[in-house]
Amino acid sequence: MSAARSTGIVLRIGELFLKGQNRYMFEQHLMNDVRRALKAFPRVVAERLHGRIWVASPGGGAIADIDRLVERLACVFGVATVSPVLEARPALDSLTAAALEIVRDQDVSRPTRFAVATNRADKRFPMKSPDISRAIAEACLEANSNLAVDLRAPELKVGVEIGPERSFVFAASREGAGGLPSGSGGRVVLLLSGGIDSPVAGYLVARRGALLSPVYFHSAPHTSEAAREKVIDLARVLAKYTGPIDVTVVPFTAVQEALRMKAPGRFLVVLYRRMMMRIATAIAERRRARGIVTGESLGQVASQTLDNIAAIEAVTAMPVLRPLIGADKVETIRLARKIGTYDISIRPYDDCCALFVPAHPETHARIVDVEAIEADFDVAGMVEAAVLAAETVHVDEGVESPFSS
Ligand code: ATP
Ligand code: MG
């Protein structure tokens, strides 16, 4: 896809232009995210460029490891497209030479529909865009007799951009992650299990600019150390998109065992979930998070009926965001594969909410009934104990360092 010898990468920005006065703040977040993505690529730097971002080696010259770099930059939220480009002087001869080099790099060994499109951001350039396109196209047609101009449906489209700071030519663009830069939308707690859904739900909210504070409820020894590792690995994938993440691991066994002693089995899932919601709310307050995200999808399992969702949500005053509420499993799986969480999620799975639960749990829990059961418990004390016993694990793309909080 990329030119064999790219001397720059251009990132086009998504919907940031919509943001009026906040635009500066959004761009600041975006530049931080781009620079973070470039940490693993010490030989390139990023700069702003007439409403785009330019990535290149400080001394100019071909960029090493270009395909991996393009892939990495495409993961930055707020980036609409990524193009490897060949820089040229803002002069017709230099732009034409770059276009010819790019065409030479493409496979045009059979008849190919072709077009040149020019964007003249720098109006000082003496020719108009259509004239520039035509002149460059003619040179390309002369160089390769397999090319035939087709402006409507070109197979090979050569883009030319003439800007006040830099000018360049490119043949391909890779779609970026889109969305809004990390951190531009505040912080949320993500209820992160080892399943397929919750990492995808977290990704979707993060793509709208939210920072994630994942909370995982662990039921050792009923759920294995491998289940915990899995959640940490999922958070590490999310950290690639959002920057470093602190995962809160909450020991949940005591809560579950206490509830099991006195509560009817068919209510256990809803009771567990209400406790999770309360604990998550307490952690959200500590982390200054403004909402709670879950991977719930309507009707997928017994706990995800509207009645049970209502009974679970009733214990928190925070907005509960469920980005997958209307998603089919196949769609969620497709997205999980795309963002890189799927292979981790399908590792053998211990689900703590299945613990001690009968085959036919209540699907229409009434709030009065669960409240009556909870009246026998010191709910606030259980929440406090769980929050105190929680452990924080700091994850970054590729690294993990545990510390107590
Ligand atoms: P997932 O694939 O995300 O586990 P699921 O389809 O298996 O979802 P449930 O297991 O019913 O559905 O869980 C619904 C949601 O509750 C999850 O998406 C997640 O947000 C939250 N959740 C469930 N178990 C845990 C847990 N052990 N720790 C944290 N959150 C959890
Ligand atoms: Mg699950």
PDB file of all heavy atoms in Angstrom, residues 357-385:
ATOM      1  N   VAL A 357     -24.861 -19.823  40.694  1.00  0.00           N
ATOM      2  CA  VAL A 357     -26.119 -19.386  40.090  1.00  0.00           C
ATOM      3  C   VAL A 357     -26.849 -20.580  39.472  1.00  0.00           C
ATOM      4  O   VAL A 357     -26.239 -21.383  38.790  1.00  0.00           O
ATOM      5  CB  VAL A 357     -25.838 -18.309  39.013  1.00  0.00           C
ATOM      6  CG1 VAL A 357     -27.080 -17.999  38.194  1.00  0.00           C
ATOM      7  CG2 VAL A 357     -25.313 -17.042  39.681  1.00  0.00           C
ATOM      8  N   PRO A 358     -28.178 -20.701  39.715  1.00  0.00           N
ATOM      9  CA  PRO A 358     -28.922 -21.831  39.156  1.00  0.00           C
ATOM     10  C   PRO A 358     -29.084 -21.694  37.645  1.00  0.00           C
ATOM     11  O   PRO A 358     -28.858 -20.620  37.079  1.00  0.00           O
ATOM     12  CB  PRO A 358     -30.281 -21.737  39.851  1.00  0.00           C
ATOM     13  CG  PRO A 358     -30.425 -20.297  40.211  1.00  0.00           C
ATOM     14  CD  PRO A 358     -29.033 -19.803  40.496  1.00  0.00           C
ATOM     15  N   ALA A 359     -29.532 -22.762  36.999  1.00  0.00           N
ATOM     16  CA  ALA A 359     -29.656 -22.775  35.538  1.00  0.00           C
ATOM     17  C   ALA A 359     -30.690 -21.763  35.040  1.00  0.00           C
ATOM     18  O   ALA A 359     -30.571 -21.255  33.933  1.00  0.00           O
ATOM     19  CB  ALA A 359     -30.020 -24.180  35.075  1.00  0.00           C
ATOM     20  N   HIS A 360     -31.704 -21.468  35.846  1.00  0.00           N
ATOM     21  CA  HIS A 360     -32.755 -20.554  35.385  1.00  0.00           C
ATOM     22  C   HIS A 360     -32.875 -19.350  36.301  1.00  0.00           C
ATOM     23  O   HIS A 360     -33.762 -19.289  37.149  1.00  0.00           O
ATOM     24  CB  HIS A 360     -34.105 -21.297  35.280  1.00  0.00           C
ATOM     25  CG  HIS A 360     -34.040 -22.414  34.284  1.00  0.00           C
ATOM     26  ND1 HIS A 360     -33.957 -22.197  32.934  1.00  0.00           N
ATOM     27  CD2 HIS A 360     -33.987 -23.758  34.454  1.00  0.00           C
ATOM     28  CE1 HIS A 360     -33.872 -23.353  32.299  1.00  0.00           C
ATOM     29  NE2 HIS A 360     -33.885 -24.322  33.203  1.00  0.00           N
ATOM     30  N   PRO A 361     -32.003 -18.368  36.127  1.00  0.00           N
ATOM     31  CA  PRO A 361     -32.061 -17.193  36.990  1.00  0.00           C
ATOM     32  C   PRO A 361     -33.262 -16.310  36.649  1.00  0.00           C
ATOM     33  O   PRO A 361     -33.849 -16.436  35.572  1.00  0.00           O
ATOM     34  CB  PRO A 361     -30.749 -16.457  36.679  1.00  0.00           C
ATOM     35  CG  PRO A 361     -30.328 -16.927  35.333  1.00  0.00           C
ATOM     36  CD  PRO A 361     -30.919 -18.283  35.129  1.00  0.00           C
ATOM     37  N   GLU A 362     -33.608 -15.456  37.561  1.00  0.00           N
ATOM     38  CA  GLU A 362     -34.726 -14.519  37.387  1.00  0.00           C
ATOM     39  C   GLU A 362     -34.435 -13.593  36.192  1.00  0.00           C
ATOM     40  O   GLU A 362     -33.354 -13.019  36.095  1.00  0.00           O
ATOM     41  CB  GLU A 362     -34.848 -13.673  38.669  1.00  0.00           C
ATOM     42  CG  GLU A 362     -35.950 -12.646  38.665  1.00  0.00           C
ATOM     43  CD  GLU A 362     -37.327 -13.274  38.466  1.00  0.00           C
ATOM     44  OE1 GLU A 362     -37.734 -14.095  39.298  1.00  0.00           O
ATOM     45  OE2 GLU A 362     -37.982 -12.927  37.461  1.00  0.00           O
ATOM     46  N   THR A 363     -35.408 -13.481  35.299  1.00  0.00           N
ATOM     47  CA  THR A 363     -35.197 -12.572  34.165  1.00  0.00           C
ATOM     48  C   THR A 363     -35.993 -11.272  34.329  1.00  0.00           C
ATOM     49  O   THR A 363     -35.809 -10.335  33.564  1.00  0.00           O
ATOM     50  CB  THR A 363     -35.590 -13.244  32.825  1.00  0.00           C
ATOM     51  OG1 THR A 363     -36.882 -13.821  32.984  1.00  0.00           O
ATOM     52  CG2 THR A 363     -34.598 -14.314  32.422  1.00  0.00           C
ATOM     53  N   HIS A 364     -36.883 -11.234  35.317  1.00  0.00           N
ATOM     54  CA  HIS A 364     -37.670 -10.016  35.541  1.00  0.00           C
ATOM     55  C   HIS A 364     -37.645  -9.661  37.026  1.00  0.00           C
ATOM     56  O   HIS A 364     -38.694  -9.678  37.694  1.00  0.00           O
ATOM     57  CB  HIS A 364     -39.109 -10.191  35.034  1.00  0.00           C
ATOM     58  CG  HIS A 364     -39.151 -10.513  33.564  1.00  0.00           C
ATOM     59  ND1 HIS A 364     -38.938  -9.565  32.594  1.00  0.00           N
ATOM     60  CD2 HIS A 364     -39.315 -11.680  32.916  1.00  0.00           C
ATOM     61  CE1 HIS A 364     -38.992 -10.135  31.401  1.00  0.00           C
ATOM     62  NE2 HIS A 364     -39.214 -11.428  31.568  1.00  0.00           N
ATOM     63  N   ALA A 365     -36.471  -9.341  37.521  1.00  0.00           N
ATOM     64  CA  ALA A 365     -36.332  -9.019  38.940  1.00  0.00           C
ATOM     65  C   ALA A 365     -37.068  -7.713  39.234  1.00  0.00           C
ATOM     66  O   ALA A 365     -36.952  -6.747  38.478  1.00  0.00           O
ATOM     67  CB  ALA A 365     -34.862  -8.898  39.299  1.00  0.00           C
ATOM     68  N   ARG A 366     -37.821  -7.710  40.347  1.00  0.00           N
ATOM     69  CA  ARG A 366     -38.494  -6.476  40.751  1.00  0.00           C
ATOM     70  C   ARG A 366     -37.646  -5.804  41.817  1.00  0.00           C
ATOM     71  O   ARG A 366     -37.114  -6.463  42.719  1.00  0.00           O
ATOM     72  CB  ARG A 366     -39.889  -6.782  41.301  1.00  0.00           C
ATOM     73  CG  ARG A 366     -40.817  -7.361  40.220  1.00  0.00           C
ATOM     74  CD  ARG A 366     -42.259  -7.350  40.679  1.00  0.00           C
ATOM     75  NE  ARG A 366     -42.365  -7.835  42.066  1.00  0.00           N
ATOM     76  CZ  ARG A 366     -43.447  -7.669  42.835  1.00  0.00           C
ATOM     77  NH1 ARG A 366     -44.484  -7.023  42.359  1.00  0.00           N
ATOM     78  NH2 ARG A 366     -43.481  -8.143  44.064  1.00  0.00           N
ATOM     79  N   ILE A 367     -37.533  -4.480  41.686  1.00  0.00           N
ATOM     80  CA  ILE A 367     -36.655  -3.751  42.607  1.00  0.00           C
ATOM     81  C   ILE A 367     -37.087  -3.977  44.056  1.00  0.00           C
ATOM     82  O   ILE A 367     -36.244  -4.186  44.925  1.00  0.00           O
ATOM     83  CB  ILE A 367     -36.612  -2.246  42.237  1.00  0.00           C
ATOM     84  CG1 ILE A 367     -35.935  -2.101  40.866  1.00  0.00           C
ATOM     85  CG2 ILE A 367     -35.854  -1.438  43.295  1.00  0.00           C
ATOM     86  CD1 ILE A 367     -35.814  -0.689  40.351  1.00  0.00           C
ATOM     87  N   VAL A 368     -38.400  -4.003  44.324  1.00  0.00           N
ATOM     88  CA  VAL A 368     -38.851  -4.213  45.716  1.00  0.00           C
ATOM     89  C   VAL A 368     -38.349  -5.547  46.254  1.00  0.00           C
ATOM     90  O   VAL A 368     -37.976  -5.647  47.431  1.00  0.00           O
ATOM     91  CB  VAL A 368     -40.398  -4.148  45.866  1.00  0.00           C
ATOM     92  CG1 VAL A 368     -40.883  -2.728  45.808  1.00  0.00           C
ATOM     93  CG2 VAL A 368     -41.088  -5.038  44.858  1.00  0.00           C
ATOM     94  N   ASP A 369     -38.311  -6.565  45.403  1.00  0.00           N
ATOM     95  CA  ASP A 369     -37.874  -7.888  45.877  1.00  0.00           C
ATOM     96  C   ASP A 369     -36.375  -7.904  46.201  1.00  0.00           C
ATOM     97  O   ASP A 369     -35.961  -8.431  47.233  1.00  0.00           O
ATOM     98  CB  ASP A 369     -38.184  -8.957  44.825  1.00  0.00           C
ATOM     99  CG  ASP A 369     -39.698  -9.141  44.635  1.00  0.00           C
ATOM    100  OD1 ASP A 369     -40.441  -8.831  45.598  1.00  0.00           O
ATOM    101  OD2 ASP A 369     -40.123  -9.557  43.551  1.00  0.00           O
ATOM    102  N   VAL A 370     -35.570  -7.324  45.312  1.00  0.00           N
ATOM    103  CA  VAL A 370     -34.119  -7.350  45.608  1.00  0.00           C
ATOM    104  C   VAL A 370     -33.794  -6.441  46.793  1.00  0.00           C
ATOM    105  O   VAL A 370     -32.941  -6.765  47.609  1.00  0.00           O
ATOM    106  CB  VAL A 370     -33.239  -7.011  44.365  1.00  0.00           C
ATOM    107  CG1 VAL A 370     -33.194  -8.175  43.414  1.00  0.00           C
ATOM    108  CG2 VAL A 370     -33.686  -5.768  43.673  1.00  0.00           C
ATOM    109  N   GLU A 371     -34.528  -5.354  46.907  1.00  0.00           N
ATOM    110  CA  GLU A 371     -34.296  -4.478  48.069  1.00  0.00           C
ATOM    111  C   GLU A 371     -34.637  -5.200  49.365  1.00  0.00           C
ATOM    112  O   GLU A 371     -33.942  -5.045  50.380  1.00  0.00           O
ATOM    113  CB  GLU A 371     -35.106  -3.183  47.946  1.00  0.00           C
ATOM    114  CG  GLU A 371     -34.442  -2.185  47.002  1.00  0.00           C
ATOM    115  CD  GLU A 371     -35.255  -0.904  46.806  1.00  0.00           C
ATOM    116  OE1 GLU A 371     -36.435  -0.873  47.230  1.00  0.00           O
ATOM    117  OE2 GLU A 371     -34.692   0.053  46.235  1.00  0.00           O
ATOM    118  N   ALA A 372     -35.691  -6.000  49.331  1.00  0.00           N
ATOM    119  CA  ALA A 372     -36.081  -6.753  50.535  1.00  0.00           C
ATOM    120  C   ALA A 372     -34.980  -7.740  50.923  1.00  0.00           C
ATOM    121  O   ALA A 372     -34.661  -7.911  52.107  1.00  0.00           O
ATOM    122  CB  ALA A 372     -37.397  -7.488  50.288  1.00  0.00           C
ATOM    123  N   ILE A 373     -34.370  -8.371  49.945  1.00  0.00           N
ATOM    124  CA  ILE A 373     -33.271  -9.318  50.235  1.00  0.00           C
ATOM    125  C   ILE A 373     -32.071  -8.559  50.804  1.00  0.00           C
ATOM    126  O   ILE A 373     -31.465  -8.961  51.794  1.00  0.00           O
ATOM    127  CB  ILE A 373     -32.869 -10.088  48.957  1.00  0.00           C
ATOM    128  CG1 ILE A 373     -34.038 -10.926  48.436  1.00  0.00           C
ATOM    129  CG2 ILE A 373     -31.645 -10.966  49.218  1.00  0.00           C
ATOM    130  CD1 ILE A 373     -33.843 -11.463  47.028  1.00  0.00           C
ATOM    131  N   GLU A 374     -31.753  -7.420  50.174  1.00  0.00           N
ATOM    132  CA  GLU A 374     -30.567  -6.654  50.602  1.00  0.00           C
ATOM    133  C   GLU A 374     -30.734  -6.056  52.000  1.00  0.00           C
ATOM    134  O   GLU A 374     -29.737  -5.739  52.651  1.00  0.00           O
ATOM    135  CB  GLU A 374     -30.254  -5.552  49.580  1.00  0.00           C
ATOM    136  CG  GLU A 374     -29.659  -6.101  48.287  1.00  0.00           C
ATOM    137  CD  GLU A 374     -29.535  -5.035  47.202  1.00  0.00           C
ATOM    138  OE1 GLU A 374     -30.080  -3.923  47.377  1.00  0.00           O
ATOM    139  OE2 GLU A 374     -28.904  -5.331  46.170  1.00  0.00           O
ATOM    140  N   ALA A 375     -31.982  -5.925  52.455  1.00  0.00           N
ATOM    141  CA  ALA A 375     -32.216  -5.338  53.777  1.00  0.00           C
ATOM    142  C   ALA A 375     -31.535  -6.144  54.879  1.00  0.00           C
ATOM    143  O   ALA A 375     -31.230  -5.626  55.956  1.00  0.00           O
ATOM    144  CB  ALA A 375     -33.718  -5.228  54.035  1.00  0.00           C
ATOM    145  N   ASP A 376     -31.265  -7.418  54.603  1.00  0.00           N
ATOM    146  CA  ASP A 376     -30.600  -8.278  55.592  1.00  0.00           C
ATOM    147  C   ASP A 376     -29.086  -8.110  55.612  1.00  0.00           C
ATOM    148  O   ASP A 376     -28.400  -8.786  56.375  1.00  0.00           O
ATOM    149  CB  ASP A 376     -30.874  -9.758  55.255  1.00  0.00           C
ATOM    150  CG  ASP A 376     -32.217 -10.198  55.797  1.00  0.00           C
ATOM    151  OD1 ASP A 376     -32.786  -9.445  56.618  1.00  0.00           O
ATOM    152  OD2 ASP A 376     -32.695 -11.270  55.388  1.00  0.00           O
ATOM    153  N   PHE A 377     -28.562  -7.263  54.731  1.00  0.00           N
ATOM    154  CA  PHE A 377     -27.100  -7.130  54.600  1.00  0.00           C
ATOM    155  C   PHE A 377     -26.633  -5.719  54.958  1.00  0.00           C
ATOM    156  O   PHE A 377     -27.386  -4.755  54.807  1.00  0.00           O
ATOM    157  CB  PHE A 377     -26.678  -7.422  53.152  1.00  0.00           C
ATOM    158  CG  PHE A 377     -26.885  -8.847  52.730  1.00  0.00           C
ATOM    159  CD1 PHE A 377     -28.097  -9.260  52.194  1.00  0.00           C
ATOM    160  CD2 PHE A 377     -25.867  -9.783  52.880  1.00  0.00           C
ATOM    161  CE1 PHE A 377     -28.299 -10.578  51.815  1.00  0.00           C
ATOM    162  CE2 PHE A 377     -26.061 -11.102  52.492  1.00  0.00           C
ATOM    163  CZ  PHE A 377     -27.279 -11.501  51.957  1.00  0.00           C
ATOM    164  N   ASP A 378     -25.365  -5.639  55.362  1.00  0.00           N
ATOM    165  CA  ASP A 378     -24.740  -4.322  55.544  1.00  0.00           C
ATOM    166  C   ASP A 378     -24.119  -3.940  54.200  1.00  0.00           C
ATOM    167  O   ASP A 378     -22.917  -4.088  53.975  1.00  0.00           O
ATOM    168  CB  ASP A 378     -23.671  -4.410  56.640  1.00  0.00           C
ATOM    169  CG  ASP A 378     -22.855  -3.125  56.731  1.00  0.00           C
ATOM    170  OD1 ASP A 378     -23.295  -2.090  56.187  1.00  0.00           O
ATOM    171  OD2 ASP A 378     -21.757  -3.176  57.327  1.00  0.00           O
ATOM    172  N   VAL A 379     -24.986  -3.475  53.308  1.00  0.00           N
ATOM    173  CA  VAL A 379     -24.550  -3.208  51.934  1.00  0.00           C
ATOM    174  C   VAL A 379     -23.420  -2.169  51.903  1.00  0.00           C
ATOM    175  O   VAL A 379     -22.389  -2.375  51.253  1.00  0.00           O
ATOM    176  CB  VAL A 379     -25.756  -2.760  51.066  1.00  0.00           C
ATOM    177  CG1 VAL A 379     -25.297  -2.208  49.735  1.00  0.00           C
ATOM    178  CG2 VAL A 379     -26.699  -3.946  50.842  1.00  0.00           C
ATOM    179  N   ALA A 380     -23.603  -1.077  52.633  1.00  0.00           N
ATOM    180  CA  ALA A 380     -22.586  -0.012  52.607  1.00  0.00           C
ATOM    181  C   ALA A 380     -21.244  -0.537  53.122  1.00  0.00           C
ATOM    182  O   ALA A 380     -20.178  -0.230  52.561  1.00  0.00           O
ATOM    183  CB  ALA A 380     -23.047   1.185  53.444  1.00  0.00           C
ATOM    184  N   GLY A 381     -21.282  -1.366  54.177  1.00  0.00           N
ATOM    185  CA  GLY A 381     -20.047  -1.936  54.724  1.00  0.00           C
ATOM    186  C   GLY A 381     -19.372  -2.860  53.726  1.00  0.00           C
ATOM    187  O   GLY A 381     -18.131  -2.870  53.600  1.00  0.00           O
ATOM    188  N   MET A 382     -20.174  -3.637  53.000  1.00  0.00           N
ATOM    189  CA  MET A 382     -19.609  -4.549  51.991  1.00  0.00           C
ATOM    190  C   MET A 382     -18.934  -3.756  50.862  1.00  0.00           C
ATOM    191  O   MET A 382     -17.866  -4.119  50.377  1.00  0.00           O
ATOM    192  CB  MET A 382     -20.717  -5.445  51.412  1.00  0.00           C
ATOM    193  CG  MET A 382     -21.219  -6.511  52.387  1.00  0.00           C
ATOM    194  SD  MET A 382     -22.855  -7.149  51.905  1.00  0.00           S
ATOM    195  CE  MET A 382     -22.419  -8.356  50.655  1.00  0.00           C
ATOM    196  N   VAL A 383     -19.577  -2.658  50.468  1.00  0.00           N
ATOM    197  CA  VAL A 383     -19.006  -1.819  49.401  1.00  0.00           C
ATOM    198  C   VAL A 383     -17.676  -1.231  49.878  1.00  0.00           C
ATOM    199  O   VAL A 383     -16.654  -1.289  49.174  1.00  0.00           O
ATOM    200  CB  VAL A 383     -19.988  -0.694  48.992  1.00  0.00           C
ATOM    201  CG1 VAL A 383     -19.313   0.318  48.070  1.00  0.00           C
ATOM    202  CG2 VAL A 383     -21.228  -1.285  48.330  1.00  0.00           C
ATOM    203  N   GLU A 384     -17.690  -0.702  51.077  1.00  0.00           N
ATOM    204  CA  GLU A 384     -16.486  -0.064  51.608  1.00  0.00           C
ATOM    205  C   GLU A 384     -15.329  -1.063  51.710  1.00  0.00           C
ATOM    206  O   GLU A 384     -14.194  -0.764  51.328  1.00  0.00           O
ATOM    207  CB  GLU A 384     -16.805   0.524  52.979  1.00  0.00           C
ATOM    208  CG  GLU A 384     -15.872   1.647  53.377  1.00  0.00           C
ATOM    209  CD  GLU A 384     -16.155   2.099  54.814  1.00  0.00           C
ATOM    210  OE1 GLU A 384     -17.341   2.340  55.122  1.00  0.00           O
ATOM    211  OE2 GLU A 384     -15.195   2.175  55.596  1.00  0.00           O
ATOM    212  N   ALA A 385     -15.631  -2.257  52.211  1.00  0.00           N
ATOM    213  CA  ALA A 385     -14.585  -3.278  52.358  1.00  0.00           C
ATOM    214  C   ALA A 385     -14.002  -3.659  51.000  1.00  0.00           C
ATOM    215  O   ALA A 385     -12.781  -3.814  50.848  1.00  0.00           O
ATOM    216  CB  ALA A 385     -15.156  -4.512  53.055  1.00  0.00           C
TER     217      ALA A 385
END
